[in-house]
mmCIF file with all atom_site columns, all heavy atoms in Angstrom:
data_model
loop_
_atom_site.group_PDB
_atom_site.id
_atom_site.type_symbol
_atom_site.label_atom_id
_atom_site.label_alt_id
_atom_site.label_comp_id
_atom_site.label_asym_id
_atom_site.label_entity_id
_atom_site.label_seq_id
_atom_site.pdbx_PDB_ins_code
_atom_site.Cartn_x
_atom_site.Cartn_y
_atom_site.Cartn_z
_atom_site.occupancy
_atom_site.B_iso_or_equiv
_atom_site.pdbx_formal_charge
_atom_site.auth_seq_id
_atom_site.auth_comp_id
_atom_site.auth_asym_id
_atom_site.auth_atom_id
_atom_site.pdbx_PDB_model_num
ATOM 1   N N   . THR A 1 1  ? 0.827  -1.217 0.000  1.00 95.00 ? 1  THR A N   1
ATOM 2   C CA  . THR A 1 1  ? 0.000  0.000  0.000  1.00 95.00 ? 1  THR A CA  1
ATOM 3   C C   . THR A 1 1  ? 0.858  1.262  0.000  1.00 95.00 ? 1  THR A C   1
ATOM 4   O O   . THR A 1 1  ? 0.340  2.366  -0.190 1.00 95.00 ? 1  THR A O   1
ATOM 5   C CB  . THR A 1 1  ? -0.916 0.045  1.233  1.00 95.00 ? 1  THR A CB  1
ATOM 6   O OG1 . THR A 1 1  ? -0.122 0.233  2.420  1.00 95.00 ? 1  THR A OG1 1
ATOM 7   C CG2 . THR A 1 1  ? -1.742 -1.217 1.360  1.00 95.00 ? 1  THR A CG2 1
ATOM 8   N N   . SER A 1 2  ? 2.161  1.115  0.256  1.00 94.00 ? 2  SER A N   1
ATOM 9   C CA  . SER A 1 2  ? 3.139  2.217  0.340  1.00 94.00 ? 2  SER A CA  1
ATOM 10  C C   . SER A 1 2  ? 3.030  3.023  1.628  1.00 94.00 ? 2  SER A C   1
ATOM 11  O O   . SER A 1 2  ? 3.864  3.896  1.875  1.00 94.00 ? 2  SER A O   1
ATOM 12  C CB  . SER A 1 2  ? 3.018  3.178  -0.860 1.00 94.00 ? 2  SER A CB  1
ATOM 13  O OG  . SER A 1 2  ? 3.314  2.507  -2.064 1.00 94.00 ? 2  SER A OG  1
ATOM 14  N N   . GLU A 1 3  ? 2.053  2.756  2.469  1.00 93.00 ? 3  GLU A N   1
ATOM 15  C CA  . GLU A 1 3  ? 1.909  3.531  3.700  1.00 93.00 ? 3  GLU A CA  1
ATOM 16  C C   . GLU A 1 3  ? 3.117  3.404  4.638  1.00 93.00 ? 3  GLU A C   1
ATOM 17  O O   . GLU A 1 3  ? 3.547  4.413  5.223  1.00 93.00 ? 3  GLU A O   1
ATOM 18  C CB  . GLU A 1 3  ? 0.635  3.113  4.438  1.00 93.00 ? 3  GLU A CB  1
ATOM 19  C CG  . GLU A 1 3  ? 0.381  3.931  5.694  1.00 93.00 ? 3  GLU A CG  1
ATOM 20  C CD  . GLU A 1 3  ? -0.977 3.629  6.320  1.00 93.00 ? 3  GLU A CD  1
ATOM 21  O OE1 . GLU A 1 3  ? -1.958 4.262  5.879  1.00 93.00 ? 3  GLU A OE1 1
ATOM 22  O OE2 . GLU A 1 3  ? -1.055 2.759  7.211  1.00 93.00 ? 3  GLU A OE2 1
ATOM 23  N N   . PRO A 1 4  ? 3.701  2.214  4.810  1.00 93.00 ? 4  PRO A N   1
ATOM 24  C CA  . PRO A 1 4  ? 4.808  2.102  5.766  1.00 93.00 ? 4  PRO A CA  1
ATOM 25  C C   . PRO A 1 4  ? 6.044  2.921  5.415  1.00 93.00 ? 4  PRO A C   1
ATOM 26  O O   . PRO A 1 4  ? 6.832  3.261  6.296  1.00 93.00 ? 4  PRO A O   1
ATOM 27  C CB  . PRO A 1 4  ? 5.129  0.600  5.753  1.00 93.00 ? 4  PRO A CB  1
ATOM 28  C CG  . PRO A 1 4  ? 3.868  -0.061 5.318  1.00 93.00 ? 4  PRO A CG  1
ATOM 29  C CD  . PRO A 1 4  ? 3.284  0.894  4.305  1.00 93.00 ? 4  PRO A CD  1
ATOM 30  N N   . HIS A 1 5  ? 6.222  3.274  4.153  1.00 88.00 ? 5  HIS A N   1
ATOM 31  C CA  . HIS A 1 5  ? 7.483  3.893  3.723  1.00 88.00 ? 5  HIS A CA  1
ATOM 32  C C   . HIS A 1 5  ? 7.690  5.285  4.309  1.00 88.00 ? 5  HIS A C   1
ATOM 33  O O   . HIS A 1 5  ? 8.824  5.693  4.534  1.00 88.00 ? 5  HIS A O   1
ATOM 34  C CB  . HIS A 1 5  ? 7.542  3.942  2.198  1.00 88.00 ? 5  HIS A CB  1
ATOM 35  C CG  . HIS A 1 5  ? 7.541  2.587  1.565  1.00 88.00 ? 5  HIS A CG  1
ATOM 36  N ND1 . HIS A 1 5  ? 8.590  1.712  1.700  1.00 88.00 ? 5  HIS A ND1 1
ATOM 37  C CD2 . HIS A 1 5  ? 6.611  1.933  0.824  1.00 88.00 ? 5  HIS A CD2 1
ATOM 38  C CE1 . HIS A 1 5  ? 8.318  0.584  1.056  1.00 88.00 ? 5  HIS A CE1 1
ATOM 39  N NE2 . HIS A 1 5  ? 7.108  0.692  0.523  1.00 88.00 ? 5  HIS A NE2 1
ATOM 40  N N   . GLY A 1 6  ? 6.639  6.014  4.573  1.00 81.00 ? 6  GLY A N   1
ATOM 41  C CA  . GLY A 1 6  ? 6.805  7.356  5.102  1.00 81.00 ? 6  GLY A CA  1
ATOM 42  C C   . GLY A 1 6  ? 6.453  7.473  6.570  1.00 81.00 ? 6  GLY A C   1
ATOM 43  O O   . GLY A 1 6  ? 6.214  8.578  7.069  1.00 81.00 ? 6  GLY A O   1
ATOM 44  N N   . ARG A 1 7  ? 6.440  6.355  7.287  1.00 86.00 ? 7  ARG A N   1
ATOM 45  C CA  . ARG A 1 7  ? 5.983  6.364  8.676  1.00 86.00 ? 7  ARG A CA  1
ATOM 46  C C   . ARG A 1 7  ? 7.049  5.801  9.608  1.00 86.00 ? 7  ARG A C   1
ATOM 47  O O   . ARG A 1 7  ? 7.628  4.744  9.343  1.00 86.00 ? 7  ARG A O   1
ATOM 48  C CB  . ARG A 1 7  ? 4.705  5.535  8.821  1.00 86.00 ? 7  ARG A CB  1
ATOM 49  C CG  . ARG A 1 7  ? 3.627  5.866  7.802  1.00 86.00 ? 7  ARG A CG  1
ATOM 50  C CD  . ARG A 1 7  ? 3.152  7.302  7.887  1.00 86.00 ? 7  ARG A CD  1
ATOM 51  N NE  . ARG A 1 7  ? 2.147  7.599  6.882  1.00 86.00 ? 7  ARG A NE  1
ATOM 52  C CZ  . ARG A 1 7  ? 0.895  7.945  7.166  1.00 86.00 ? 7  ARG A CZ  1
ATOM 53  N NH1 . ARG A 1 7  ? 0.509  8.039  8.418  1.00 86.00 ? 7  ARG A NH1 1
ATOM 54  N NH2 . ARG A 1 7  ? 0.038  8.206  6.192  1.00 86.00 ? 7  ARG A NH2 1
ATOM 55  N N   . ALA A 1 8  ? 7.278  6.509  10.687 1.00 85.00 ? 8  ALA A N   1
ATOM 56  C CA  . ALA A 1 8  ? 8.200  6.009  11.699 1.00 85.00 ? 8  ALA A CA  1
ATOM 57  C C   . ALA A 1 8  ? 7.694  4.680  12.235 1.00 85.00 ? 8  ALA A C   1
ATOM 58  O O   . ALA A 1 8  ? 6.520  4.536  12.572 1.00 85.00 ? 8  ALA A O   1
ATOM 59  C CB  . ALA A 1 8  ? 8.328  7.019  12.838 1.00 85.00 ? 8  ALA A CB  1
ATOM 60  N N   . GLY A 1 9  ? 8.577  3.695  12.275 1.00 90.00 ? 9  GLY A N   1
ATOM 61  C CA  . GLY A 1 9  ? 8.179  2.374  12.734 1.00 90.00 ? 9  GLY A CA  1
ATOM 62  C C   . GLY A 1 9  ? 7.458  1.559  11.691 1.00 90.00 ? 9  GLY A C   1
ATOM 63  O O   . GLY A 1 9  ? 7.055  0.431  11.944 1.00 90.00 ? 9  GLY A O   1
ATOM 64  N N   . ALA A 1 10 ? 7.257  2.129  10.506 1.00 92.00 ? 10 ALA A N   1
ATOM 65  C CA  . ALA A 1 10 ? 6.644  1.438  9.356  1.00 92.00 ? 10 ALA A CA  1
ATOM 66  C C   . ALA A 1 10 ? 5.150  1.190  9.501  1.00 92.00 ? 10 ALA A C   1
ATOM 67  O O   . ALA A 1 10 ? 4.591  0.336  8.822  1.00 92.00 ? 10 ALA A O   1
ATOM 68  C CB  . ALA A 1 10 ? 7.363  0.113  9.057  1.00 92.00 ? 10 ALA A CB  1
ATOM 69  N N   . PHE A 1 11 ? 4.482  1.963  10.387 1.00 91.00 ? 11 PHE A N   1
ATOM 70  C CA  . PHE A 1 11 ? 3.036  1.797  10.474 1.00 91.00 ? 11 PHE A CA  1
ATOM 71  C C   . PHE A 1 11 ? 2.382  3.120  10.845 1.00 91.00 ? 11 PHE A C   1
ATOM 72  O O   . PHE A 1 11 ? 3.017  4.018  11.395 1.00 91.00 ? 11 PHE A O   1
ATOM 73  C CB  . PHE A 1 11 ? 2.651  0.714  11.486 1.00 91.00 ? 11 PHE A CB  1
ATOM 74  C CG  . PHE A 1 11 ? 2.895  1.093  12.925 1.00 91.00 ? 11 PHE A CG  1
ATOM 75  C CD1 . PHE A 1 11 ? 1.879  1.648  13.691 1.00 91.00 ? 11 PHE A CD1 1
ATOM 76  C CD2 . PHE A 1 11 ? 4.130  0.887  13.517 1.00 91.00 ? 11 PHE A CD2 1
ATOM 77  C CE1 . PHE A 1 11 ? 2.089  1.994  15.013 1.00 91.00 ? 11 PHE A CE1 1
ATOM 78  C CE2 . PHE A 1 11 ? 4.357  1.228  14.845 1.00 91.00 ? 11 PHE A CE2 1
ATOM 79  C CZ  . PHE A 1 11 ? 3.334  1.786  15.592 1.00 91.00 ? 11 PHE A CZ  1
ATOM 80  N N   . ALA A 1 12 ? 1.100  3.230  10.505 1.00 88.00 ? 12 ALA A N   1
ATOM 81  C CA  . ALA A 1 12 ? 0.311  4.415  10.834 1.00 88.00 ? 12 ALA A CA  1
ATOM 82  C C   . ALA A 1 12 ? -0.974 3.965  11.516 1.00 88.00 ? 12 ALA A C   1
ATOM 83  O O   . ALA A 1 12 ? -1.764 3.226  10.930 1.00 88.00 ? 12 ALA A O   1
ATOM 84  C CB  . ALA A 1 12 ? 0.001  5.220  9.575  1.00 88.00 ? 12 ALA A CB  1
ATOM 85  N N   . ILE A 1 13 ? -1.176 4.431  12.719 1.00 88.00 ? 13 ILE A N   1
ATOM 86  C CA  . ILE A 1 13 ? -2.344 4.004  13.484 1.00 88.00 ? 13 ILE A CA  1
ATOM 87  C C   . ILE A 1 13 ? -3.648 4.529  12.890 1.00 88.00 ? 13 ILE A C   1
ATOM 88  O O   . ILE A 1 13 ? -4.687 3.875  12.936 1.00 88.00 ? 13 ILE A O   1
ATOM 89  C CB  . ILE A 1 13 ? -2.187 4.460  14.947 1.00 88.00 ? 13 ILE A CB  1
ATOM 90  C CG1 . ILE A 1 13 ? -1.208 3.528  15.656 1.00 88.00 ? 13 ILE A CG1 1
ATOM 91  C CG2 . ILE A 1 13 ? -3.524 4.496  15.678 1.00 88.00 ? 13 ILE A CG2 1
ATOM 92  C CD1 . ILE A 1 13 ? -0.936 3.890  17.081 1.00 88.00 ? 13 ILE A CD1 1
ATOM 93  N N   . GLN A 1 14 ? -3.599 5.730  12.300 1.00 84.00 ? 14 GLN A N   1
ATOM 94  C CA  . GLN A 1 14 ? -4.837 6.402  11.912 1.00 84.00 ? 14 GLN A CA  1
ATOM 95  C C   . GLN A 1 14 ? -5.300 6.083  10.502 1.00 84.00 ? 14 GLN A C   1
ATOM 96  O O   . GLN A 1 14 ? -6.394 6.475  10.120 1.00 84.00 ? 14 GLN A O   1
ATOM 97  C CB  . GLN A 1 14 ? -4.668 7.926  12.062 1.00 84.00 ? 14 GLN A CB  1
ATOM 98  C CG  . GLN A 1 14 ? -3.728 8.549  11.051 1.00 84.00 ? 14 GLN A CG  1
ATOM 99  C CD  . GLN A 1 14 ? -2.259 8.461  11.448 1.00 84.00 ? 14 GLN A CD  1
ATOM 100 O OE1 . GLN A 1 14 ? -1.887 7.660  12.293 1.00 84.00 ? 14 GLN A OE1 1
ATOM 101 N NE2 . GLN A 1 14 ? -1.424 9.277  10.835 1.00 84.00 ? 14 GLN A NE2 1
ATOM 102 N N   . ASP A 1 15 ? -4.501 5.391  9.722  1.00 87.00 ? 15 ASP A N   1
ATOM 103 C CA  . ASP A 1 15 ? -4.869 5.147  8.326  1.00 87.00 ? 15 ASP A CA  1
ATOM 104 C C   . ASP A 1 15 ? -5.047 3.651  8.082  1.00 87.00 ? 15 ASP A C   1
ATOM 105 O O   . ASP A 1 15 ? -5.698 2.969  8.866  1.00 87.00 ? 15 ASP A O   1
ATOM 106 C CB  . ASP A 1 15 ? -3.824 5.774  7.396  1.00 87.00 ? 15 ASP A CB  1
ATOM 107 C CG  . ASP A 1 15 ? -3.852 7.292  7.450  1.00 87.00 ? 15 ASP A CG  1
ATOM 108 O OD1 . ASP A 1 15 ? -4.947 7.865  7.407  1.00 87.00 ? 15 ASP A OD1 1
ATOM 109 O OD2 . ASP A 1 15 ? -2.783 7.913  7.532  1.00 87.00 ? 15 ASP A OD2 1
ATOM 110 N N   . ILE A 1 16 ? -4.500 3.138  7.009  1.00 93.00 ? 16 ILE A N   1
ATOM 111 C CA  . ILE A 1 16 ? -4.683 1.720  6.678  1.00 93.00 ? 16 ILE A CA  1
ATOM 112 C C   . ILE A 1 16 ? -4.199 0.827  7.805  1.00 93.00 ? 16 ILE A C   1
ATOM 113 O O   . ILE A 1 16 ? -4.797 -0.205 8.112  1.00 93.00 ? 16 ILE A O   1
ATOM 114 C CB  . ILE A 1 16 ? -3.933 1.388  5.369  1.00 93.00 ? 16 ILE A CB  1
ATOM 115 C CG1 . ILE A 1 16 ? -4.482 2.230  4.215  1.00 93.00 ? 16 ILE A CG1 1
ATOM 116 C CG2 . ILE A 1 16 ? -4.049 -0.098 5.044  1.00 93.00 ? 16 ILE A CG2 1
ATOM 117 C CD1 . ILE A 1 16 ? -3.655 2.135  2.942  1.00 93.00 ? 16 ILE A CD1 1
ATOM 118 N N   . GLY A 1 17 ? -3.124 1.252  8.448  1.00 92.00 ? 17 GLY A N   1
ATOM 119 C CA  . GLY A 1 17 ? -2.536 0.443  9.511  1.00 92.00 ? 17 GLY A CA  1
ATOM 120 C C   . GLY A 1 17 ? -3.424 0.240  10.715 1.00 92.00 ? 17 GLY A C   1
ATOM 121 O O   . GLY A 1 17 ? -3.141 -0.612 11.565 1.00 92.00 ? 17 GLY A O   1
ATOM 122 N N   . MET A 1 18 ? -4.511 0.997  10.808 1.00 93.00 ? 18 MET A N   1
ATOM 123 C CA  . MET A 1 18 ? -5.418 0.867  11.951 1.00 93.00 ? 18 MET A CA  1
ATOM 124 C C   . MET A 1 18 ? -5.918 -0.567 12.123 1.00 93.00 ? 18 MET A C   1
ATOM 125 O O   . MET A 1 18 ? -6.144 -1.028 13.249 1.00 93.00 ? 18 MET A O   1
ATOM 126 C CB  . MET A 1 18 ? -6.599 1.816  11.776 1.00 93.00 ? 18 MET A CB  1
ATOM 127 C CG  . MET A 1 18 ? -7.567 1.847  12.946 1.00 93.00 ? 18 MET A CG  1
ATOM 128 S SD  . MET A 1 18 ? -8.944 2.992  12.673 1.00 93.00 ? 18 MET A SD  1
ATOM 129 C CE  . MET A 1 18 ? -8.081 4.563  12.731 1.00 93.00 ? 18 MET A CE  1
ATOM 130 N N   . GLN A 1 19 ? -6.093 -1.282 11.043 1.00 94.00 ? 19 GLN A N   1
ATOM 131 C CA  . GLN A 1 19 ? -6.632 -2.639 11.132 1.00 94.00 ? 19 GLN A CA  1
ATOM 132 C C   . GLN A 1 19 ? -5.649 -3.633 11.740 1.00 94.00 ? 19 GLN A C   1
ATOM 133 O O   . GLN A 1 19 ? -6.011 -4.770 12.047 1.00 94.00 ? 19 GLN A O   1
ATOM 134 C CB  . GLN A 1 19 ? -7.065 -3.120 9.741  1.00 94.00 ? 19 GLN A CB  1
ATOM 135 C CG  . GLN A 1 19 ? -5.945 -3.172 8.718  1.00 94.00 ? 19 GLN A CG  1
ATOM 136 C CD  . GLN A 1 19 ? -6.488 -3.272 7.303  1.00 94.00 ? 19 GLN A CD  1
ATOM 137 O OE1 . GLN A 1 19 ? -7.018 -4.315 6.912  1.00 94.00 ? 19 GLN A OE1 1
ATOM 138 N NE2 . GLN A 1 19 ? -6.370 -2.195 6.539  1.00 94.00 ? 19 GLN A NE2 1
ATOM 139 N N   . PHE A 1 20 ? -4.381 -3.194 11.920 1.00 95.00 ? 20 PHE A N   1
ATOM 140 C CA  . PHE A 1 20 ? -3.377 -4.068 12.519 1.00 95.00 ? 20 PHE A CA  1
ATOM 141 C C   . PHE A 1 20 ? -3.033 -3.663 13.955 1.00 95.00 ? 20 PHE A C   1
ATOM 142 O O   . PHE A 1 20 ? -2.077 -4.189 14.522 1.00 95.00 ? 20 PHE A O   1
ATOM 143 C CB  . PHE A 1 20 ? -2.104 -4.070 11.666 1.00 95.00 ? 20 PHE A CB  1
ATOM 144 C CG  . PHE A 1 20 ? -2.309 -4.598 10.277 1.00 95.00 ? 20 PHE A CG  1
ATOM 145 C CD1 . PHE A 1 20 ? -2.144 -3.773 9.175  1.00 95.00 ? 20 PHE A CD1 1
ATOM 146 C CD2 . PHE A 1 20 ? -2.685 -5.920 10.069 1.00 95.00 ? 20 PHE A CD2 1
ATOM 147 C CE1 . PHE A 1 20 ? -2.345 -4.255 7.892  1.00 95.00 ? 20 PHE A CE1 1
ATOM 148 C CE2 . PHE A 1 20 ? -2.887 -6.409 8.794  1.00 95.00 ? 20 PHE A CE2 1
ATOM 149 C CZ  . PHE A 1 20 ? -2.727 -5.577 7.698  1.00 95.00 ? 20 PHE A CZ  1
ATOM 150 N N   . ILE A 1 21 ? -3.804 -2.739 14.535 1.00 94.00 ? 21 ILE A N   1
ATOM 151 C CA  . ILE A 1 21 ? -3.524 -2.279 15.887 1.00 94.00 ? 21 ILE A CA  1
ATOM 152 C C   . ILE A 1 21 ? -4.341 -3.090 16.890 1.00 94.00 ? 21 ILE A C   1
ATOM 153 O O   . ILE A 1 21 ? -5.570 -3.131 16.839 1.00 94.00 ? 21 ILE A O   1
ATOM 154 C CB  . ILE A 1 21 ? -3.851 -0.784 16.036 1.00 94.00 ? 21 ILE A CB  1
ATOM 155 C CG1 . ILE A 1 21 ? -3.047 0.031  15.024 1.00 94.00 ? 21 ILE A CG1 1
ATOM 156 C CG2 . ILE A 1 21 ? -3.553 -0.322 17.465 1.00 94.00 ? 21 ILE A CG2 1
ATOM 157 C CD1 . ILE A 1 21 ? -1.549 -0.139 15.125 1.00 94.00 ? 21 ILE A CD1 1
ATOM 158 N N   . LYS A 1 22 ? -3.647 -3.723 17.807 1.00 94.00 ? 22 LYS A N   1
ATOM 159 C CA  . LYS A 1 22 ? -4.295 -4.522 18.837 1.00 94.00 ? 22 LYS A CA  1
ATOM 160 C C   . LYS A 1 22 ? -4.753 -3.663 20.004 1.00 94.00 ? 22 LYS A C   1
ATOM 161 O O   . LYS A 1 22 ? -5.853 -3.849 20.545 1.00 94.00 ? 22 LYS A O   1
ATOM 162 C CB  . LYS A 1 22 ? -3.321 -5.597 19.327 1.00 94.00 ? 22 LYS A CB  1
ATOM 163 C CG  . LYS A 1 22 ? -3.875 -6.544 20.373 1.00 94.00 ? 22 LYS A CG  1
ATOM 164 C CD  . LYS A 1 22 ? -2.829 -7.603 20.717 1.00 94.00 ? 22 LYS A CD  1
ATOM 165 C CE  . LYS A 1 22 ? -3.366 -8.631 21.696 1.00 94.00 ? 22 LYS A CE  1
ATOM 166 N NZ  . LYS A 1 22 ? -2.317 -9.662 21.999 1.00 94.00 ? 22 LYS A NZ  1
ATOM 167 N N   . ARG A 1 23 ? -3.908 -2.700 20.387 1.00 94.00 ? 23 ARG A N   1
ATOM 168 C CA  . ARG A 1 23 ? -4.224 -1.883 21.553 1.00 94.00 ? 23 ARG A CA  1
ATOM 169 C C   . ARG A 1 23 ? -3.393 -0.605 21.539 1.00 94.00 ? 23 ARG A C   1
ATOM 170 O O   . ARG A 1 23 ? -2.263 -0.610 21.040 1.00 94.00 ? 23 ARG A O   1
ATOM 171 C CB  . ARG A 1 23 ? -3.924 -2.662 22.838 1.00 94.00 ? 23 ARG A CB  1
ATOM 172 C CG  . ARG A 1 23 ? -4.091 -1.868 24.118 1.00 94.00 ? 23 ARG A CG  1
ATOM 173 C CD  . ARG A 1 23 ? -3.887 -2.732 25.338 1.00 94.00 ? 23 ARG A CD  1
ATOM 174 N NE  . ARG A 1 23 ? -3.916 -1.929 26.560 1.00 94.00 ? 23 ARG A NE  1
ATOM 175 C CZ  . ARG A 1 23 ? -3.903 -2.426 27.789 1.00 94.00 ? 23 ARG A CZ  1
ATOM 176 N NH1 . ARG A 1 23 ? -3.880 -3.728 27.962 1.00 94.00 ? 23 ARG A NH1 1
ATOM 177 N NH2 . ARG A 1 23 ? -3.911 -1.622 28.838 1.00 94.00 ? 23 ARG A NH2 1
ATOM 178 N N   . ILE A 1 24 ? -3.975 0.472  22.060 1.00 94.00 ? 24 ILE A N   1
ATOM 179 C CA  . ILE A 1 24 ? -3.202 1.681  22.307 1.00 94.00 ? 24 ILE A CA  1
ATOM 180 C C   . ILE A 1 24 ? -3.432 2.131  23.743 1.00 94.00 ? 24 ILE A C   1
ATOM 181 O O   . ILE A 1 24 ? -4.515 1.941  24.291 1.00 94.00 ? 24 ILE A O   1
ATOM 182 C CB  . ILE A 1 24 ? -3.548 2.827  21.329 1.00 94.00 ? 24 ILE A CB  1
ATOM 183 C CG1 . ILE A 1 24 ? -5.010 3.257  21.465 1.00 94.00 ? 24 ILE A CG1 1
ATOM 184 C CG2 . ILE A 1 24 ? -3.222 2.451  19.902 1.00 94.00 ? 24 ILE A CG2 1
ATOM 185 C CD1 . ILE A 1 24 ? -5.340 4.518  20.681 1.00 94.00 ? 24 ILE A CD1 1
ATOM 186 N N   . ASP A 1 25 ? -2.414 2.680  24.346 1.00 95.00 ? 25 ASP A N   1
ATOM 187 C CA  . ASP A 1 25 ? -2.498 3.249  25.687 1.00 95.00 ? 25 ASP A CA  1
ATOM 188 C C   . ASP A 1 25 ? -1.956 4.674  25.611 1.00 95.00 ? 25 ASP A C   1
ATOM 189 O O   . ASP A 1 25 ? -0.790 4.876  25.292 1.00 95.00 ? 25 ASP A O   1
ATOM 190 C CB  . ASP A 1 25 ? -1.674 2.434  26.687 1.00 95.00 ? 25 ASP A CB  1
ATOM 191 C CG  . ASP A 1 25 ? -2.248 1.043  26.915 1.00 95.00 ? 25 ASP A CG  1
ATOM 192 O OD1 . ASP A 1 25 ? -3.472 0.949  27.122 1.00 95.00 ? 25 ASP A OD1 1
ATOM 193 O OD2 . ASP A 1 25 ? -1.483 0.068  26.880 1.00 95.00 ? 25 ASP A OD2 1
ATOM 194 N N   . GLY A 1 26 ? -2.817 5.632  25.904 1.00 95.00 ? 26 GLY A N   1
ATOM 195 C CA  . GLY A 1 26 ? -2.413 7.028  25.820 1.00 95.00 ? 26 GLY A CA  1
ATOM 196 C C   . GLY A 1 26 ? -3.431 7.825  25.029 1.00 95.00 ? 26 GLY A C   1
ATOM 197 O O   . GLY A 1 26 ? -4.439 7.298  24.561 1.00 95.00 ? 26 GLY A O   1
ATOM 198 N N   . ASN A 1 27 ? -3.157 9.092  24.866 1.00 95.00 ? 27 ASN A N   1
ATOM 199 C CA  . ASN A 1 27 ? -4.068 9.964  24.139 1.00 95.00 ? 27 ASN A CA  1
ATOM 200 C C   . ASN A 1 27 ? -3.956 9.710  22.641 1.00 95.00 ? 27 ASN A C   1
ATOM 201 O O   . ASN A 1 27 ? -2.847 9.683  22.090 1.00 95.00 ? 27 ASN A O   1
ATOM 202 C CB  . ASN A 1 27 ? -3.746 11.425 24.466 1.00 95.00 ? 27 ASN A CB  1
ATOM 203 C CG  . ASN A 1 27 ? -4.739 12.374 23.839 1.00 95.00 ? 27 ASN A CG  1
ATOM 204 O OD1 . ASN A 1 27 ? -4.596 12.743 22.685 1.00 95.00 ? 27 ASN A OD1 1
ATOM 205 N ND2 . ASN A 1 27 ? -5.745 12.759 24.589 1.00 95.00 ? 27 ASN A ND2 1
ATOM 206 N N   . LEU A 1 28 ? -5.077 9.530  21.985 1.00 94.00 ? 28 LEU A N   1
ATOM 207 C CA  . LEU A 1 28 ? -5.063 9.195  20.561 1.00 94.00 ? 28 LEU A CA  1
ATOM 208 C C   . LEU A 1 28 ? -4.398 10.287 19.731 1.00 94.00 ? 28 LEU A C   1
ATOM 209 O O   . LEU A 1 28 ? -3.655 9.998  18.786 1.00 94.00 ? 28 LEU A O   1
ATOM 210 C CB  . LEU A 1 28 ? -6.490 8.949  20.065 1.00 94.00 ? 28 LEU A CB  1
ATOM 211 C CG  . LEU A 1 28 ? -6.641 8.573  18.594 1.00 94.00 ? 28 LEU A CG  1
ATOM 212 C CD1 . LEU A 1 28 ? -5.846 7.322  18.258 1.00 94.00 ? 28 LEU A CD1 1
ATOM 213 C CD2 . LEU A 1 28 ? -8.111 8.381  18.237 1.00 94.00 ? 28 LEU A CD2 1
ATOM 214 N N   . SER A 1 29 ? -4.638 11.554 20.071 1.00 96.00 ? 29 SER A N   1
ATOM 215 C CA  . SER A 1 29 ? -4.029 12.627 19.283 1.00 96.00 ? 29 SER A CA  1
ATOM 216 C C   . SER A 1 29 ? -2.513 12.616 19.409 1.00 96.00 ? 29 SER A C   1
ATOM 217 O O   . SER A 1 29 ? -1.792 12.922 18.453 1.00 96.00 ? 29 SER A O   1
ATOM 218 C CB  . SER A 1 29 ? -4.594 13.991 19.700 1.00 96.00 ? 29 SER A CB  1
ATOM 219 O OG  . SER A 1 29 ? -4.235 14.330 21.026 1.00 96.00 ? 29 SER A OG  1
ATOM 220 N N   . THR A 1 30 ? -2.009 12.236 20.574 1.00 96.00 ? 30 THR A N   1
ATOM 221 C CA  . THR A 1 30 ? -0.561 12.097 20.758 1.00 96.00 ? 30 THR A CA  1
ATOM 222 C C   . THR A 1 30 ? -0.007 11.011 19.852 1.00 96.00 ? 30 THR A C   1
ATOM 223 O O   . THR A 1 30 ? 1.019  11.180 19.186 1.00 96.00 ? 30 THR A O   1
ATOM 224 C CB  . THR A 1 30 ? -0.236 11.761 22.228 1.00 96.00 ? 30 THR A CB  1
ATOM 225 O OG1 . THR A 1 30 ? -0.541 12.890 23.035 1.00 96.00 ? 30 THR A OG1 1
ATOM 226 C CG2 . THR A 1 30 ? 1.220  11.389 22.405 1.00 96.00 ? 30 THR A CG2 1
#
């Protein structure tokens, strides 16, 4: 999808990568 190439850690929580997120702890905007 090319999304990982411009993202630190190779993933983006708010876009396509959201479907691979198991859990987040902290403020979403952060």
Side-chain angles (χ1 to χ4, degrees):
T1 68
S2 297
E3 183 173 274
H5 297 293
R7 311 299 179 117
F11 70 94
I13 283 178
Q14 70 276 19
D15 292 315
I16 300 171
M18 184 180 292
Q19 61 196 289
F20 298 115
I21 302 302
K22 182 177 184 179
R23 175 175 174 173
I24 62 171
D25 293 313
N27 185 276
L28 181 58
S29 66
T30 292

